[in-house]
Amino acid sequence: MAFISSGYNPDKPMENRITDIGPRHFDEFLPPVIKKNKGKWAYHEILEPGILLHVADSGDKVYTVRVGAARLMSISHIREICDIADKYCGGHLRFTTRNNVEFMVGTEDEAKALKKELNGRKFAGGSHKFPVGGTGAGVTNIVHTQGWVHCHTPATDASGTVKATMDAVFEEFTNMRLPAPVRIAMACCLNMCGAVHCSDIAILGIHRKPPMIDHEHLDNMCEVPLAVAACPTGAIRPTKTDFQGKQVATVAVKQERCMFCGNCYTMCPSMPLADKEGDGIAIMVGGKISNRITRPAFSKVVVPFIPNEPPRWPSMTKVIKKILDAYSKDARKYERLGDWANRIGWERFFEKCDLEFSHHLIDDFRDPAYYTWRQTTQFKF
Amino acid sequence: MAKHKTPLLDQLESGPWPSFVSDIKQECENRAKNAKGVDYQIPADCPDDLLGVLEMSYVDGETHWKHGGIVGVFGYGGGVIGRYCDQPEMFPGVAHFHTVRVNQPSGLYYTTEFLRQLCDLWELRGSGLTNMHGSTGDIVLLGTTTPQLEEIFYELTHKLNNDLGGSGSNLRTPSCCLGQSRCEFACIDTQQLCFDLTNTYQDELHRPAFPYKFKFKVDGCPNGCVAAIARSDFSIIGTWRDEIRIDQKAVAAYVGGEIKPNAGAHAGRDWGKFDIQKEVVDRCPSGCMRYEGGKLEINNKECVRCMHCINTMPRALKIGNDRGASILCGAKAPILDGPQMSSLLIPFIKVEEPYDEIKEVIENIWDWWMEEGKNRERLGETMKRLSFQKLLEVTNQKADARHVREPRHNPYIFWKEEEVTGGWQRDIADYRKKHQK
């Protein structure tokens, strides 16, 4: 391997340097029919799962074929997407905010032919490369985080749990038979880079063991005051300890106060908390972002812990399937998962989903906790 | 032949959903074959080693990535996430595995020409693996080595005419829904606003000067496809303040079954004949609709713009013409003080270039938050700590009943001295003249 210079001169880093130019202007990337009719779209229709029609005031039509994708994507795969877009879409395509890919064509026949072709393309291992779907009242693609592929704080993997879940609910991706859209999200620790806090169903990696303390290196690797300040419950204090006959500056953790957020580890690498037995998954449900009918809502924890079971997390997918099936059977048209649970009551939700309610599910974190307790005699037997 | 045995990951190749394992394996093969004779600038077997280290995590149940690492490009304090493997001897191809965040185009439209250029760059100087896209919206180029960072940045800016995104305690890459480009519900040009804000605040995006991260997200309507209300410190959500436009003929067509309700979104199940009373009028959260004598009436003054009727009958009902945005502040995920949704600050603001009015609000908030915010405190937490009233004060907004879901439950009002007749200075001697000890 010979080093290939881009033109950058390390001795003169400011020479010809271009900075602060921002992204390319989106106009450069819009397909002609989109550019022409921007701001003048009249209506849309989902013709069949995965195929959308948008009609402009001008009468122009654009047909969109939506396909699922793993957001961890190789350049080989992106090049294949480009080949398809070059062949059918004049060299244009777009991604959705939920990691789907959209191919836009001019006629319904082209869209249907493209759907067939896309559904026919498979990876060597047998899975779809471009499953068409993700529209309307169904399950669309999962927004998620990095997990064991790239992150330093995860309590589980992201790509694997997502693949296992989407395999389990695949029929709902290619159909539109649920009462309302179901948005599933995945975050591999409490930082929630995947923002699962407002999803119909959320898969969340959690830790359950307090951090270990690497006394040997802590003082060199961390700023003790930052580690102390990082703890939301004040469980960490500075201290000194004997390490191999030498006094070292370090921290002490009041373990019973730990809420396993991992914020100390983010600030101080000498306080790792990942652990095979301690880590696993919590399931949250009933969040939403849309203002449709009801207000946006937070997800609620309904299963406090499921052990990590790589590679396919069968206990986790079983729980998700159970919740989805109960919702599908019982909810009214247009009712989001959380609205359904609110209507029937959460005591019924646990019954209908065949989930156990335990003390872990009662909020005890600061003021908002009180507002989740029941201050009424209205409840169901 | 695979470099590492991955029996656990191999089980993720079956099943219908696209397998990231199969995709990584495809990249391994293509790099091994190297049909184009690329002089790879980082180890060619980098994706193989990624599978290897991931398999190890699947066995161990623990991650093998070390905590951070301060790497980046000259003059920027964000855009690159340093990452090192904690088993570099076993997996030298991913010993360094830094991520490069590339600022995505608003609305996520691409030409294949641009994507192919990006692929070529990442084939030569990176792992060949990406995220399309990261949670905040960036194009994420996953895995390269330190010596490549400046080279990648140089090519990105010189050849692709594109900049890095944000990371760390700075403005994160703003993002938006596709807006008016292909959606009839969009009340504002989300793409242009997002692009403009991104470029106006390049300094804040690249050079961390904030207490913590700060996110802008722009949604075109209250449906919220980019999750602004849940995921951004400064949420801009398109809305209107006049009347929903009604096409009574199209209403009749929905009632008569000539047009599929909800744009066909429920077509996969037999929900029975469309019932406008039950499915639209009775579902209206503010009860502002009436259907009588074949005519739909909306009392627009009472409408809360939830979008349900418009979503259900998009050919009959259209957003109003007097359009702008609501601005809400303070959303974040749970770390540390629990999850927060954005709270309404400005019920309606016009969204017109050069967006000076919006920028004034942003800059007032930043001035306050940079002064008062604690280290690693998100705006929403500063608001909770110092009060919503303070946010109103620094943004020069007058309190409005729309700011609350309901008035306060306690009478512990922090009166200010100037609000109380006669002020607070009193003489105890005068008091004692009237009141014995």
Side-chain angles (χ1 to χ4, degrees), chain A residues 266-285:
Chain A
T266 297
M267 297 311 285
C268 172
S270 295
M271 301 181 71
L273 68 168
D275 184 271
K276 186 175 188 171
E277 281 78 33
D279 296 351
I281 282 168
I283 300 291
M284 304 174 74
V285 308

Side-chain angles (χ1 to χ4, degrees), chain A residues 42-233:
Chain A
Y43 66 92
H44 78 283
E45 204 183 316
I46 306 168
L47 300 178
E48 57 183 84
I51 300 187
L52 298 140
L53 160 67
H54 287 85
V55 182
D57 293 335
S58 65
D60 285 353
K61 292 178 177 177
V62 61
Y63 294 83
T64 301
V65 184
R66 180 179 292 172
V67 304
R71 80 160 209 184
L72 171 49
M73 192 179 277
S74 74
I75 56 169
S76 301
H77 195 67
I78 297 174
R79 282 172 174 154
E80 188 169 341
I81 291 170
C82 289
D83 290 342
I84 296 166
D86 282 340
K87 191 169 161 195
Y88 295 96
C89 317
H92 294 271
L93 64 121
R94 76 173 288 268
F95 287 80
T96 72
T97 52
R98 302 192 74 90
N99 312 318
N100 295 308
V101 185
E102 291 186 338
F103 298 101
M104 285 156 280
V105 295
T107 67
E108 189 169 347
D109 287 347
E110 284 174 282
K112 289 196 166 152
L114 183 54
K115 177 172 175 174
K116 204 167 158 220
E117 163 152 8
L118 290 164
N119 274 334
R121 295 198 186 208
K122 303 270 176 75
F123 281 111
S127 68
H128 281 281
K129 278 181 170 171
F130 306 108
V132 177
T135 51
V139 171
T140 187
N141 204 345
I142 297 181
V143 170
H144 67 95
T145 55
Q146 298 287 19
W148 292 333
V149 165
H150 195 258
C151 184
H152 64 291
T153 64
T156 187
D157 188 37
S159 300
T161 52
V162 165
K163 161 73 175 153
T165 303
M166 286 309 290
D167 278 344
V169 302
F170 188 71
E171 291 231 315
E172 305 306 340
F173 180 82
T174 55
N175 278 291
M176 305 188 292
R177 57 190 188 185
L178 295 175
V182 172
R183 300 284 182 249
I184 307 180
M186 193 285 155
C188 47
C189 82
L190 269 60
N191 274 305
M192 289 200 193
C193 300
V196 303
H197 59 298
C198 294
S199 300
D200 295 281
I201 300 178
I203 304 164
L204 175 66
I206 59 162
H207 301 289
R208 295 184 308 162
K209 294 192 184 182
M212 292 176 282
I213 302 167
D214 186 354
H215 295 302
E216 184 181 1
H217 300 111
L218 190 136
D219 197 29
N220 289 329
M221 292 180 80
C222 316
E223 299 281 350
V224 169
L226 284 182
V228 170
C231 182
T233 64

